[in-house]
Amino acid sequence: MTCIFTLSLFTFTCYALDLNNLRASLIKGDYKTAIGEGEKLMAREAHSDELYYLLGLCYLKDGNYLRASDIFEVIIKEFKSSRFKEEARLGLGDAYLLRNDLVKAEEAYRALLKANPNTKLKAQVYYRLSEIGFKKGDVNQGKDYLAKLKDGYPLNPEVRQDQDIWPAGKINSDFYYSVQVGSFSSSINAANLNRKLLANGYPSYIEESAGLTGSKNYRVKVGRLNSRQEAEELDRKLRTQGYPTKICP
C-alpha cells in the first residue's frame, strides 16, 4: 500500500514539474518547446483541463490555429465544469478569427456572452466583436461594440488596442478606411515617414492620440477610403514597397 502511495505521489510530482516547464516556456515565448512538453504529457495520458488549455494557447501563439481550435473544443465539450471554459471559448473564437473565419469566430464569442453575460472576459469579447464588425463591413456593429467597450471598460488594455484603430473622437465621425504604415512615440519620426510618403505621391497624414498614461502616439496613415476593397488594394501596393501595413476602419 505504501509503495502504491509513493508511486502515485512520484507520478503527480513529475506531472506538476512538467506542467511548470510548459508554463515557463509559454511565458518566455518558446512555444515549440512548450508544445513538446505538453504533447509529452498527453502521450502519458496525464490529461487535465489546465494542460489542454495551456497546450491550446501554445498552438494558438505558434500559429497552428486548427490544432488550437481542436483542443479548445475538447475543453468546452469534455470538461463541463472546467475553470478554463470561458478562456477556451475565447481561444476558440481567436483561432477562427485568425483563420479569417468570421462567422465561426463570432459564434464562439457570442456563445461565451450567452453562457455568462457577466464574464470577466467581456471587454476582450467586445473588442473582438467590434473588430469582426469592421472586417465584414458591418460598421454599426463595429462602432456599437467599440462604444460599449469604451463606456464600460475605459481603463481596460483592450481600449488602448482600439485606439490603434479608432483615435479619440473618431467614433462619432464619418466612417472611412485607411492604411497605417507606422506608429511612433516620436513626432519627428512620424513626420519623416509622412514626408517620404508624400514625396512618393501617397496622400498620407499623421493622427495624434493620447495613451492611457498620457503619452502621445503618432500614427502615419495613407488614404481615406470608402470601401475595404480599396483599402486592401492600397495595402498590397504599400507592402510591395516594403512598408509594414495595417488596415484601419
Side-chain angles (χ1 to χ4, degrees):
M1 184 71 175
T2 302
C3 291
I4 294 174
F5 175 77
T6 303
L7 182 60
S8 298
L9 181 60
F10 175 76
T11 302
F12 175 78
T13 302
C14 290
Y15 171 80
L17 288 172
D18 287 340
L19 200 60
N20 283 338
N21 289 337
L22 191 163
R23 289 194 200 96
S25 297
L26 174 60
I27 291 170
K28 288 189 294 186
D30 187 355
Y31 306 124
K32 293 193 183 300
T33 298
I35 288 168
E37 293 286 350
E39 291 292 357
K40 191 165 59 177
L41 284 169
M42 295 280 279
R44 283 158 40 188
E45 297 187 355
H47 301 175
S48 71
D49 57 345
E50 183 176 9
L51 172 58
Y52 272 103
Y53 175 67
L54 293 174
L55 192 54
L57 197 57
C58 290
Y59 275 114
L60 186 69
K61 296 284 189 180
D62 197 49
N64 191 336
Y65 308 133
L66 182 59
R67 176 67 171 145
S69 62
D70 288 343
I71 291 175
F72 290 135
E73 286 273 17
V74 171
I75 298 173
I76 295 166
K77 293 177 180 178
E78 303 297 330
F79 295 89
K80 301 296 185 183
S81 58
S82 171
R83 60 192 171 106
F84 297 100
K85 199 163 188 175
E86 291 188 0
E87 286 82 356
R89 288 191 188 278
L90 186 71
L92 179 62
D94 289 351
Y96 284 128
L97 183 58
L98 289 165
R99 285 157 58 186
N100 208 35
D101 190 337
L102 303 184
V103 173
K104 287 188 176 180
E106 186 167 359
E107 286 176 357
Y109 297 138
R110 292 194 184 279
L112 171 52
L113 288 178
K114 184 178 180 180
N116 183 7
N118 297 314
T119 174
K120 63 186 177 185
L121 302 175
K122 188 180 282 189
Q124 291 91 321
V125 174
Y126 281 173
Y127 175 83
R128 287 156 172 78
L129 288 174
S130 171
E131 183 180 358
I132 287 172
F134 289 127
K135 281 191 171 185
K136 67 184 184 182
D138 188 341
V139 178
N140 289 332
Q141 175 180 321
K143 293 174 75 171
D144 180 51
Y145 278 102
L146 181 56
K148 288 180 179 180
L149 174 61
K150 295 195 174 195
D151 290 344
Y153 306 90
L155 300 180
N156 193 282
E158 303 290 342
V159 173
R160 187 164 190 169
Q161 283 184 260
D162 264 314
Q163 289 179 357
D164 289 339
I165 300 174
W166 287 88
K170 186 179 172 184
I171 190 167
N172 293 318
S173 66
D174 292 336
F175 178 82
Y176 57 82
Y177 290 94
S178 62
V179 179
Q180 180 176 299
V181 293
S183 180
F184 305 93
S185 58
S186 165
S187 60
I188 295 174
N189 291 343
N192 288 339
L193 177 57
N194 190 48
R195 279 196 294 271
K196 181 179 177 181
L197 288 162
L198 289 170
N200 288 330
Y202 288 107
S204 62
Y205 52 93
I206 299 172
E207 284 187 347
E208 178 182 328
S209 63
L212 295 178
T213 61
S215 60
K216 290 187 177 180
N217 297 310
Y218 303 90
R219 296 177 176 82
V220 181
K221 296 185 176 183
V222 178
R224 290 183 172 87
L225 307 164
N226 293 324
S227 71
R228 186 173 180 87
Q229 182 178 353
E230 291 176 287
E232 288 172 349
E233 290 173 359
L234 177 59
D235 177 79
R236 282 192 292 271
K237 183 178 179 182
L238 287 162
R239 276 191 284 115
T240 59
Q241 296 182 10
Y243 292 104
T245 61
K246 179 173 72 172
I247 296 176
C248 302

